Amino acid sequence: MVARAPAGADHRIWPRPGAGLAAFVPAASAGGPGKWTAITGKGPNTVEAGVARTSDGRLHVAYHQKAGATAALRYARINKRGKAVAASTLESGWTTINPSVDLTHTPGNGKLHVFFSGIRSTVVGELFDRELAMKESDTGGSSWTPPIPASEDGDAAYIGAGIGAGADPRKAGAGTRVGAWGDSGANANGFNFGGLNATYNLATVGVGIGMPEVVVDNQGRVYGAWQQINSGGKGIYARELTNTGPLSPVWHAPGSSANGRNSFRYQQERTALAGRAGKAGAWVAYGKGYPQTRKILLWRVGANKAKAIVTGKRARGAKHISIATGRQGRLWIFWEKGGRYLVTRTNKKAAKAGRIRVVKPPKGWKSTHRLFGEGAAKRLDLFAHVGKKAATNRTFHTQVRL
């Protein structure tokens, strides 16, 4: 059972093992921490926004927004106090847009890229008919290019479970931009990773695949991770991607499934894949246990074993397990449990977790559908997509410090 915070205190610290309740400390009340700000308007429960922080420290967010009988793509910048400012509409009047949107930043040139998919119109010959699309901004989000195709084929990019994207942090030029989308070809519901610079060699890996994510490490290596729900192969999978040479193996995340890979707790948000600042490789956070999570594992992609990073009552029953890159090699790991959000951060070696902060959800909102965040600042910028009833769901933002 999650310890309940006293009335009026939104963020609390979970005690260290053996410390007792006296280890709880109140959160700061000024600015963003302790307060939730609505980012999106009302919409479906499947909305997952894309977030990225530029080199000037500014946090940017792009998201799907229902607009009457049509759909829109919206953008906002979040200031240091946690308030959404400079909101604008990037695309409007589309027949439909996939609720999963991703946003990347290329440090070398400061450019932002938003990835999305949908049907712009039903006119014969429409360029954007479920294909993965991309828009670019080299002005910090104040202006954007028209959309251009970012995939060769994309029926399942529209009907699929999610979109993932990454950008090479080493590139000073255009950078390597990589997206993930479904394939509507002969092997419908298959999966591909690719980008505008090159198509990465990930063969179609079967049906029942979704919730992809992509990261690029400090060596320029590209990693893709996804969730698979087809019998006999359920679980979380990852692969290093390349546009030259042979394919790397497809790795199954140890402990992500049970009963001979026939049982698996499907995560609703993008697979919790992240890189570490200044380090090579990629890491995935996920739950072990079925039908209820018993431990939270942290796995370096390609390793034979995963580390139990959170155990005991703090991990038992965890849902919406997510991850974000922190400073100095640290990783933020956060999840929902018992109607509260729990947030921790690893040490610089990503070998163990520190204290856990308990965060109340936005007041009056009952169900959590998505949990994601950005941790490159000294704090975690935490986003929760929550709802009361059908079509009244919204994404909120708060800041969490440890």
Side-chain angles (χ1 to χ4, degrees), residues 363-387:
K363 187 176 181 180
W365 295 80
K366 298 178 180 179
S367 301
T368 298
H369 302 295
R370 300 286 191 277
L371 202 61
F372 52 99
E374 202 284 336
K378 293 182 180 180
R379 61 187 179 270
L380 174 69
D381 284 271
L382 179 64
F383 295 82
H385 190 62
V386 293

Side-chain angles (χ1 to χ4, degrees), residues 216-257:
V216 187
D217 72 6
N218 73 328
Q219 302 298 312
R221 297 188 183 95
V222 182
Y223 295 86
W226 62 92
Q227 300 176 57
Q228 195 161 310
I229 58 173
N230 50 314
S231 296
K234 294 182 179 180
I236 293 173
Y237 291 81
R239 190 177 215 173
E240 184 180 345
L241 312 176
T242 176
N243 58 358
T244 59
L247 289 168
S248 69
V250 172
W251 294 296
H252 173 260
S256 64
S257 53

Side-chain angles (χ1 to χ4, degrees), residues 169-322:
R170 306 174 309 155
K171 301 290 186 180
T176 300
R177 300 181 296 278
V178 182
W181 66 92
D183 182 359
S184 63
N187 297 308
N189 295 320
F191 222 61
N192 290 287
F193 288 82
L196 298 179
N197 304 81
T199 298
Y200 283 75
N201 295 328
L202 178 63
T204 299
V205 289
V207 300
I209 296 168
M211 296 305 181
E213 185 56 292
V214 178
V215 300
V216 187
D217 72 6
N218 73 328
Q219 302 298 312
R221 297 188 183 95
V222 182
Y223 295 86
W226 62 92
Q227 300 176 57
Q228 195 161 310
I229 58 173
N230 50 314
S231 296
K234 294 182 179 180
I236 293 173
Y237 291 81
R239 190 177 215 173
E240 184 180 345
L241 312 176
T242 176
N243 58 358
T244 59
L247 289 168
S248 69
V250 172
W251 294 296
H252 173 260
S256 64
S257 53
N259 303 322
R261 301 191 188 179
N262 286 302
S263 300
F264 170 58
R265 282 188 57 84
Y266 191 71
Q267 287 256 135
Q268 291 180 310
E269 40 277 294
R270 281 187 284 264
T271 303
L273 176 72
R276 291 172 57 206
K279 307 294 181 181
W283 282 257
V284 183
Y286 54 94
K288 179 179 181 178
Y290 184 86
Q292 184 184 68
T293 298
R294 300 193 312 274
K295 299 177 181 179
I296 295 175
L297 304 183
L298 182 62
W299 173 57
R300 180 172 182 169
V301 173
N304 292 327
K305 296 181 179 180
K307 184 177 184 60
I309 200 76
V310 183
T311 60
K313 63 181 180 180
R314 297 167 291 181
R316 198 172 299 122
K319 302 176 182 178
H320 302 290
I321 299 167
S322 299

Side-chain angles (χ1 to χ4, degrees), residues 10-11 31-40 49-53 57-61 63 76-85 334 341 359-363 365 370-375 377 379-386 394-401:
D10 285 331
H11 296 181
K35 299 179 181 179
W36 287 97
T37 301
I39 302 298
T40 71
V51 296
R53 190 179 300 277
R58 292 180 174 181
L59 185 63
H60 307 261
V61 56
Y63 56 92
R77 190 174 72 243
I78 297 176
N79 63 20
K80 293 181 179 180
R81 288 182 166 271
K83 182 180 180 181
V85 297
F334 42 101
Y341 307 139
V359 181
K360 284 185 177 181
K363 187 176 181 180
W365 295 80
R370 300 286 191 277
L371 202 61
F372 52 99
E374 202 284 336
R379 61 187 179 270
L380 174 69
D381 284 271
L382 179 64
F383 295 82
H385 190 62
V386 293
R394 301 183 74 176
T395 298
F396 287 79
H397 164 265
T398 191
Q399 296 170 342
V400 183
R401 291 192 173 100

Side-chain angles (χ1 to χ4, degrees), residues 140-164:
S142 60
S143 62
W144 295 80
T145 63
I148 59 175
S151 68
E152 296 177 359
D153 194 2
D155 279 356
Y158 159 62
I159 62 172
I163 293 172

